[in-house]
Amino acid sequence: MKKLKIETELDVFESVSDLSEDIQNLMNKAHEARKMAYAPYSHFQVGAALLLASGDIVLGNNQENAAFPSGLCAERVAAFHAGATFPNVKFEAMAITAGSLKQETTVPIPPCGACRQSLAEYEVKQSVPIPIYFMGATGKVVRSRSVKDLLPLIFDHSYL
Ligand code: THU
């Protein structure tokens, strides 16, 4: 038997002010989007801001539904909107912020597995890594230089 070791490296920034100006601006947009999330059931709001190679910024936030699985995460709202309105424009970076309405969320909140898989589709398609920045409502920011670092053993078209 052989062992397969998977290593991943993430960068941790003490605060938003340690990020480049462009990414600070992107994260600010994600905060604005978070505050407009529709999360009456979980009271957990997530905002995502996606910077495109064209310079456009596409926003998303979680949209919940009384029939729970019918809702959608912020990251996929942003990614699918970008895919629908700017087809074939590369994704340059995504900023994500999440916060509970019941308590202060100070730890970085990573995107869920389904969002990682959805983002991976675009990264594989464009053959350029998409850096993902994520945080709570305040506090540290984590950067993954590529979706692959958040989702080792990606399932992609090559298996089909
Ligand atoms: N949520 C997101 O928007 N993104 C994630 O990556 C994780 C979870 C949303 C879904 C749901 O509306 C709420 O957060 C609680 O799970």
Side-chain angles (χ1 to χ4, degrees):
M1 185 192 72
K2 274 193 203 164
K3 286 209 195 300
L4 179 64
K5 231 186 194 166
I6 299 171
E7 280 192 0
T8 195
E9 201 178 70
L10 302 173
D11 303 310
V12 182
F13 298 86
E14 278 310 305
S15 92
V16 181
S17 52
D18 292 343
L19 303 171
S20 71
E21 214 173 290
D22 278 4
I23 301 300
Q24 283 189 41
N25 177 46
L26 193 66
M27 189 57 89
N28 286 339
K29 297 262 192 278
H31 283 291
E32 285 170 22
R34 169 169 56 81
K35 289 170 191 160
M36 295 187 287
Y38 178 62
Y41 304 105
S42 71
H43 308 291
F44 190 77
Q45 296 183 307
V46 186
L50 182 58
L51 175 63
L52 302 181
S54 56
D56 293 289
I57 292 178
V58 176
L59 304 181
N61 49 30
N62 49 330
Q63 296 295 316
E64 297 188 348
N65 192 283
F68 287 3
S70 302
L72 198 61
C73 292
E75 298 88 330
R76 275 177 287 166
V77 169
F80 294 162
H81 187 201
T85 48
F86 299 93
N88 302 317
V89 179
K90 290 190 172 70
F91 292 4
E92 281 211 346
M94 179 176 266
I96 305 163
T97 161
S100 168
L101 292 172
K102 297 181 224 158
Q103 71 220 12
E104 212 195 326
T105 304
T106 55
V107 293
I109 307 291
C112 78
C115 287
R116 296 178 201 195
Q117 180 64 35
S118 294
L119 292 169
E121 179 71 24
Y122 296 97
E123 183 171 277
V124 170
K125 181 182 171 220
Q126 68 182 36
S127 303
V128 180
I130 307 167
I132 310 289
Y133 295 80
F134 56 91
M135 66 181 296
T138 57
K140 293 182 184 170
V141 182
V142 175
R143 174 177 64 194
S144 170
R145 290 171 179 272
S146 129
V147 181
K148 281 189 185 122
D149 289 322
L150 289 176
L151 187 65
L153 302 180
I154 276 175
F155 179 87
D156 68 20
H157 64 86
S158 65
Y159 298 126
L160 299 177

